[in-house]
Amino acid sequence: MFKKKKEIKFTAEMDRSTRLDDFIRSFKKQKTAVAAAIVLIILALIAIFCYQIAPYGINEYDYSSVLQGPSSEHWFGTDEFGRDIFSRVICGTRISLSIGFFTVTIAAAIGSIVGLLAGYYGGLIESVSMRIADFLYAFPGLILAIAIVAVLGPGLTNVVIAVIIFCIPTYARLVRGATLELKNSVYVRAAKCIGASDMRILFKHILPGAIPSVIVQYSLSISGSIMTTASLSFLGMGAMSPTPEWGLMLSNSRTYFYTSWHYAFFPGIAIMLTVLCFNLLGDGLRTALDPKLNNKG
């Protein structure tokens, strides 16, 4: 008996190891996704050590160097207060990535639980949760975020709340679909027959089947979160001065766009590069995790 259990456990571990090896092998073939992942790792390290990397303080004023172009002293130039734009863009990386990862992690956790319960139990839970999701889906994400921030008031904390709210329905519907597909599978029925609890079935047998789709959506959602945060800050509803947030820097640069191109250019490039890398990573993960797409490749 014990020998059989050990064999089953060993087989399961071997199966997981094989799947991981297949994923790594497939992901390595996605050259653009690998490059995007490397860039994102560099950005994450920059975010962690931004204050050690930045050559100047983010609010170090120098009125003798107002709106100077890129130079050996100020690589990205200076703003209307003589602050070093390179230092502010570097430190803005921490703000954007932190908000992106935090909001999407919370939304993915809440949405996945809602989707599991709705798909598995159905009935009133499914009806109520999916109708709320449909209601939120009726509004474009940015418009919904603007409405929520307009009610709660401007500020990064309320932006985080807004992004979490409009991201939750995506994960709820995604995981609900996977749950509906998997709850009648052979191994789930077998787990029920041996007396496994609902929670064990949900989190041990059904949720792992939805994880690949959640991982792909997670990467794509971070890019959307960063864009939404930057957009709200640009509109004056997110970060407030003197916070070195990329969207706020773009907003402040509008007055000087024709005379000091560098002021808008570098924060804009930072947003574009980060969002592009997350999107490329998401596409690569989708191809690596989906056997059908992998076979086509």
Side-chain angles (χ1 to χ4, degrees), residues 159-221:
V159 168
V160 167
I161 295 172
V163 174
I164 290 174
I165 290 174
F166 84 71
C167 281
I168 287 176
T170 301
Y171 292 95
R173 293 178 70 91
L174 186 67
V175 176
R176 170 184 169 268
T179 303
L180 290 173
E181 182 180 350
L182 296 172
K183 72 176 183 178
N184 294 319
S185 61
V186 174
Y187 59 87
V188 171
R189 290 202 300 268
K192 289 180 180 178
C193 290
I194 62 174
S197 65
D198 286 349
M199 291 299 103
R200 181 176 178 81
I201 291 172
L202 285 172
F203 292 99
K204 183 75 174 178
H205 300 290
I206 294 179
L207 182 58
I211 288 296
S213 298
V214 171
I215 291 175
V216 173
Q217 185 59 45
Y218 185 88
S219 177
L220 298 174
S221 294

Side-chain angles (χ1 to χ4, degrees), residues 67-101:
L67 294 174
Q68 286 188 354
S71 64
S72 58
E73 187 176 357
H74 299 284
W75 292 357
F76 290 178
T78 60
D79 63 10
E80 71 272 32
F81 297 109
R83 295 175 298 190
D84 183 62
I85 294 177
F86 176 73
S87 300
R88 291 177 62 79
V89 168
I90 288 292
C91 294
T93 307
R94 174 180 289 187
I95 296 173
S96 294
L97 291 186
S98 298
I99 291 176
F101 279 108

Side-chain angles (χ1 to χ4, degrees), residues 18-29 288:
T18 301
R19 289 200 300 269
L20 179 60
D21 291 340
D22 290 341
F23 164 73
I24 294 174
R25 192 180 304 110
S26 177
F27 184 74
K28 284 181 178 180
K29 296 178 182 178

Side-chain angles (χ1 to χ4, degrees), residues 12-86:
E13 290 176 353
M14 287 292 292
D15 186 50
R16 284 194 295 269
S17 177
T18 301
R19 289 200 300 269
L20 179 60
D21 291 340
D22 290 341
F23 164 73
I24 294 174
R25 192 180 304 110
S26 177
F27 184 74
K28 284 181 178 180
K29 296 178 182 178
Q30 317 301 320
K31 302 303 182 184
T32 54
V34 171
I38 293 172
V39 173
L40 290 175
I41 290 172
I42 294 172
L43 289 176
L45 292 174
I46 289 173
I48 294 171
F49 301 106
C50 60
Y51 290 104
Q52 287 74 33
I53 297 173
Y56 298 90
I58 57 174
N59 292 312
E60 188 175 324
Y61 298 92
D62 183 3
Y63 293 104
S64 63
S65 304
V66 170
L67 294 174
Q68 286 188 354
S71 64
S72 58
E73 187 176 357
H74 299 284
W75 292 357
F76 290 178
T78 60
D79 63 10
E80 71 272 32
F81 297 109
R83 295 175 298 190
D84 183 62
I85 294 177
F86 176 73

Side-chain angles (χ1 to χ4, degrees), residues 109-167:
I110 296 173
S112 296
I113 293 173
V114 171
L116 280 172
L117 297 177
Y120 188 75
Y121 292 109
L124 183 62
I125 297 176
E126 182 179 25
S127 297
V128 172
S129 60
M130 290 302 105
R131 294 303 74 78
I132 293 174
D134 291 339
F135 173 77
L136 295 176
Y137 264 128
F139 301 92
L142 182 59
I143 301 300
L144 179 61
I146 290 174
I148 294 171
V149 174
V151 173
L152 298 177
L156 280 179
T157 301
N158 293 335
V159 168
V160 167
I161 295 172
V163 174
I164 290 174
I165 290 174
F166 84 71
C167 281

